[in-house]
Amino acid sequence: MCGIIGYVGDRQAAPLLLEGLDKLQYRGYDSAGIAVRDDQKQISVVKTSGKLEVLVAKTDSGRTIRGRCGIGHTRWATHGEPSGVNSHPHVSCDGKVVVVHNGIIENYAEQKEKLKQRGFTFVSATDTEVAANMLAYYYRKNGNDPQKAIAATMLRIKGSFAFGIMFEDYPDIVFAARNDSPLVVGDANDGYLIASDTHAILAYTKKIYYLNNMELAMITRDGVSFLNIDLEPVSKVPSEIAWDSNSSDKGEYDHYMIKEIEEQPKVVQQTLERYIQNGKIDLGISQLNDSHIKGINRIYILGCGSAYHAAQIAKYQIENLTSMSVETEIASEFRYRNIRLEPSSMVIVISQSGETADTLAALRRAKESGVFSLAIVNVQGSAIAREADGVLYTCAGPEISVATTKAYSAQLAVIYLIAIQLAYVKNMISEQKYKSYIGELSELPERIRECIKCSEKIKDLAVAISGSHHAFYIGRGVDCAVAMEGSLKLKEISYIHSEAYAAGELKHGTISLIENGSVVIGIITQRRLAEKTLSNIQEVKSRGAYVIGISNNCLEQMSEVADVMVSIPSTDDFFAPSLAIIPLQLLAYYVCVAKGMDVDKPRNLAKSVTVE
Ligand code: G6P
């Protein structure tokens, strides 16, 4: 989704803004632009559709636009096609206000009509240009007071926004405001920055202020000040970001995705180490202490995309160990459900970015019911992390590739810890079993490392199936949840249509699509369900499917049925999802490479989906 950056300080702004936009590319975009104010206070705007390189070339890497104050933007089109004129920054028709925006202004049509009647004109199809003209209108109406203009505009907008704003009459100040779209302020040695996420400005500062909903910020070369919507001062203390700025470099790798796949043993280990102390799981840091656990009877787990698939794994694993009732739901559906949550319920939201609009809304919906909310989040200080009652951070570090891999694996690690701890505190597993699980967990990073070694075999397999138009993933129980994630990985980056099914469900419709050569990926890691799934694999095989088997060899006959077998190491079945997913991630990656697609930035997708 759209990315925002702004800077005021000693450096030349344009190269810094372009560097920030480079870091924001991973969020997904189709056009980019910058506005910089020179020493004569003139504002130059350069923007273009297409890749950032076009903007970089157009400005000679920022050298053609001089000035130490500016704003920049990567746009992921919502209102209006990707084009130069629809790109940000947008300038009000009187030239007084320049704006970059992330979010959606739902009442833009109504506001646009009012502004037209007042003589304002428009050149683009965007909702952002409406905001620029609203700001200009309220600026004029409030005696050229920028703060009053911003507050008046914020109060009249329905929807979500993070704004970076420059006023012609106020040189050397960048204004910022937000409601429901992410925005942070960074305190660098030579000035101040605003950005959609910390990752964009990590090279300049680790000292970050978080802007809350309906707050404004003003950055100058020498300081930052914050105001609430009534324009009263708000005091804030900066947080120190733990991430290393180098951790988001691609290094020697061709793509971020393969780098992040290979980082999985490390991030799983770091995540486990954070919550296992002296051979015991300690989740107290998240407020989820033992007495709290004893009072919980029902759990709802919510997320979007891969985070939802992680929720599915959690459902199976918590139910397997505790017999508690667990419901999972896609956050965009849960937020509109008419559901009464009992006080003994707990809601868990899972999100890498901590900013996904639907997951945030689902969290708020759960909080309205007064139940305890727990977030499993990767990005420190993100909206979900700040709003949930408790947080368990995954220690995956910055994840750049749009298709998540390492953050998903770190989420699974946290899920195992929650399931085991719930079972232990509720006396559903013995002390001995508890210890044996923790022992197995300590081996998990090494098992994942072993799985990654199957790369060469997967590479050949990927070439063999890269010409396919469809693929079907099947599994039973928790293997079905793994199949869903494996299927999503393939379709999102290689554009091969793929679907995941509960193995037993295939014959209720989808089996009619199976013909000679159809690719079916069968996952069998759960001993007690293995024979059942094998029967389903035999059903597709006998209809001509080309079967790729992923298994921990819990059933010998599997290798006789499958055309190709990919073996994963043995572990307790409980932890098998963390291993079975590795060859599926690698398969998606190498198919994408074989097809020559853009691995890290697949078309139409955004890393962080901050609009509904
Ligand atoms: C996007 C990403 C997915 C991610 C989903 C949820 O669709 O491309 O990889 O799983 O959003 O994101 P979150 O940050 O909430 O985990």
Side-chain angles (χ1 to χ4, degrees):
M1 298 276 125
C2 303
I4 285 179
I5 180 140
Y7 173 74
V8 189
D10 291 340
R11 297 171 190 240
Q12 283 300 316
L16 180 149
L17 296 174
L18 291 173
E19 252 179 66
L21 294 184
D22 180 40
K23 298 280 184 202
L24 289 168
Q25 285 191 72
Y26 82 109
R27 294 169 67 88
Y29 76 108
D30 42 52
S31 45
I34 55 174
V36 175
R37 178 155 214 152
D38 67 19
D39 294 339
Q40 274 73 50
K41 316 299 178 206
Q42 288 299 313
I43 301 177
S44 315
V45 177
V46 187
K47 53 189 192 172
T48 168
S49 65
K51 294 279 178 198
L52 185 63
E53 292 90 81
V54 185
L55 183 67
V56 171
K58 219 171 166 178
T59 58
D60 189 15
S61 300
R63 281 186 281 268
T64 56
I65 320 175
R66 308 287 297 169
R68 296 167 203 279
C69 170
I71 52 180
H73 190 264
T74 46
R75 173 173 189 252
W76 189 85
T78 56
H79 297 66
E81 54 166 17
S83 67
V85 74
N86 286 336
S87 313
H88 303 209
H90 285 280
V91 185
S92 61
C93 66
D94 62 4
K96 290 281 180 193
V97 188
V98 186
V99 182
V100 289
H101 165 223
N102 172 24
I104 288 186
I105 300 173
E106 289 163 10
N107 58 340
Y108 83 102
E110 173 197 330
Q111 293 295 336
K112 190 171 183 174
E113 213 32 63
K114 278 191 199 161
L115 288 163
K116 275 185 179 169
Q117 283 163 18
R118 287 169 183 146
F120 284 81
T121 55
F122 296 83
V123 292
S124 80
T126 64
D127 52 345
T128 306
E129 194 187 12
V130 176
N133 278 332
M134 283 174 82
L135 286 160
Y137 171 71
Y138 289 110
Y139 181 64
R140 196 191 301 161
K141 198 172 172 190
N142 286 289
N144 293 357
D145 182 325
Q147 293 162 3
K148 282 188 183 160
I150 296 171
T153 304
M154 289 166 80
L155 287 168
R156 281 160 184 84
I157 288 177
K158 280 195 199 128
S160 58
F161 55 81
F163 288 127
I165 310 164
M166 293 196 294
F167 285 84
E168 191 191 28
D169 307 328
Y170 287 81
D172 310 323
I173 305 180
V174 169
F175 298 81
R178 77 161 279 211
N179 185 46
D180 280 351
S181 293
L183 199 69
V184 298
V185 175
D187 175 354
N189 289 335
D190 54 19
Y192 283 80
L193 302 114
I194 58 163
S196 293
D197 59 42
T198 49
H199 167 65
I201 53 176
L202 218 50
Y204 307 103
T205 179
K206 289 187 175 181
K207 222 169 155 190
I208 299 292
Y209 295 92
Y210 297 103
L211 211 58
N212 290 324
N213 277 345
M214 299 305 269
E215 284 183 348
L216 293 77
M218 278 74 56
I219 60 166
T220 63
R221 188 227 162 277
D222 299 314
V224 58
S225 50
F226 300 97
L227 297 174
N228 64 19
I229 193 67
D230 296 322
L231 302 181
E232 295 157 345
V234 175
S235 75
K236 286 184 190 284
V237 180
S239 303
E240 198 68 26
I241 296 300
W243 288 354
D244 179 359
S245 60
N246 296 330
S247 56
S248 59
D249 289 342
K250 201 157 56 180
E252 78 232 23
Y253 291 91
D254 290 338
H255 304 102
Y256 280 107
M257 185 174 177
I258 190 67
K259 173 179 181 255
E260 289 163 3
I261 287 175
E262 294 199 5
E263 281 173 354
Q264 290 180 106
K266 186 180 81 190
V267 306
V268 168
Q269 182 158 357
Q270 284 166 355
T271 304
L272 293 172
E273 280 171 1
R274 186 177 172 119
Y275 302 110
I276 300 179
Q277 252 108 57
N278 305 321
K280 293 214 134 208
I281 297 170
D282 185 357
L283 306 178
I285 194 172
S286 68
Q287 321 298 330
L288 189 63
N289 51 34
D290 293 0
S291 69
H292 200 153
I293 287 175
K294 284 183 185 144
I296 297 167
N297 291 324
R298 179 183 273 268
I299 301 177
Y300 296 86
I301 314 181
L302 318 170
C304 298
S306 297
Y308 171 69
H309 296 159
Q312 291 281 86
I313 304 268
K315 172 186 166 71
Y316 285 107
Q317 304 309 58
I318 296 173
E319 282 182 353
N320 279 342
L321 289 197
T322 67
S323 319
M324 287 174 84
S325 164
V326 182
E327 270 193 47
T328 54
E329 190 143 1
I330 294 166
S332 57
E333 289 296 317
F334 181 88
R335 63 182 291 187
Y336 294 116
R337 254 180 90 183
N338 187 11
I339 180 175
R340 222 186 104 251
L341 304 180
E342 285 128 33
S344 59
S345 308
M346 166 167 77
V347 168
I348 302 179
V349 291
I350 306 179
S351 175
Q352 185 284 128
S353 62
E355 300 288 354
T356 300
D358 284 318
T359 311
L360 181 59
L363 168 66
R364 288 180 182 158
R365 164 76 189 77
K367 288 194 77 178
E368 277 166 19
S369 308
V371 301
F372 177 73
S373 58
L374 177 69
I376 301 175
V377 171
N378 195 42
V379 177
Q380 193 187 331
S382 54
I384 292 174
R386 284 182 294 141
E387 292 194 24
D389 296 320
V391 188
L392 291 171
Y393 280 112
T394 47
C395 304
E399 190 179 62
I400 310 300
S401 180
V402 164
T404 179
T405 52
K406 63 174 180 169
Y408 170 83
S409 281
Q411 287 161 0
L412 296 196
V414 172
I415 285 162
Y416 301 143
L417 294 171
I418 294 174
I420 296 167
Q421 191 67 358
L422 288 174
Y424 181 61
V425 173
K426 285 179 171 284
N427 294 321
M428 309 296 275
I429 54 170
S430 65
E431 181 84 28
Q432 196 190 355
K433 189 70 189 164
Y434 178 73
K435 285 193 176 142
S436 110
Y437 275 143
I438 291 176
E440 287 256 359
L441 268 177
S442 66
E443 311 265 299
L444 194 59
E446 194 44 43
R447 299 286 97 84
I448 295 174
R449 196 166 285 122
E450 284 170 41
C451 281
I452 296 171
K453 289 187 190 145
C454 69
S455 268
E456 285 307 313
K457 182 172 191 174
I458 300 276
K459 234 184 245 179
D460 296 339
L461 195 52
V463 172
I465 68 159
S466 60
S468 309
H469 297 294
H470 309 278
F472 302 92
Y473 288 69
I474 57 172
R476 239 193 185 71
V478 77
D479 287 340
C480 175
V482 175
M484 288 167 72
E485 175 59 7
S487 165
L488 177 64
K489 287 287 89 80
L490 184 75
K491 84 175 85 167
E492 67 182 337
I493 60 170
S494 75
Y495 316 145
I496 293 175
H497 165 239
S498 77
E499 304 207 33
Y501 280 92
E505 185 64 11
L506 201 69
K507 59 184 166 297
H508 296 292
T510 311
I511 201 161
S512 66
L513 296 173
I514 302 292
E515 52 188 14
N516 242 354
S518 297
V519 175
V520 175
I521 293 120
I523 302 151
I524 299 189
T525 69
Q526 304 296 300
R527 266 156 257 266
R528 78 189 169 91
L529 303 171
E531 283 176 357
K532 305 278 177 206
T533 308
L534 190 65
S535 303
N536 302 124
I537 292 178
Q538 252 147 351
E539 286 159 11
V540 292
K541 179 79 187 150
S542 57
R543 285 161 180 81
Y546 175 74
V547 174
I548 301 170
I550 310 281
S551 179
N552 48 6
N553 302 324
C554 61
L555 194 64
E556 262 178 34
Q557 303 95 294
M558 173 100 172
S559 50
E560 289 156 27
V561 179
D563 293 280
V564 187
M565 269 303 295
V566 178
S567 296
I568 56 169
S570 283
T571 173
D572 189 298
D573 290 0
F574 187 73
F575 304 112
S578 288
L579 306 185
I581 194 59
I582 305 293
L584 301 181
Q585 294 170 341
L586 288 165
L587 185 67
Y589 172 74
Y590 285 117
V591 169
C592 181
V593 171
K595 291 184 75 174
M597 303 297 184
D598 188 343
V599 176
D600 292 324
K601 294 192 286 289
R603 70 183 178 209
N604 303 337
L605 292 178
K607 180 76 182 159
S608 177
V609 182
T610 52
V611 296
E612 191 173 349

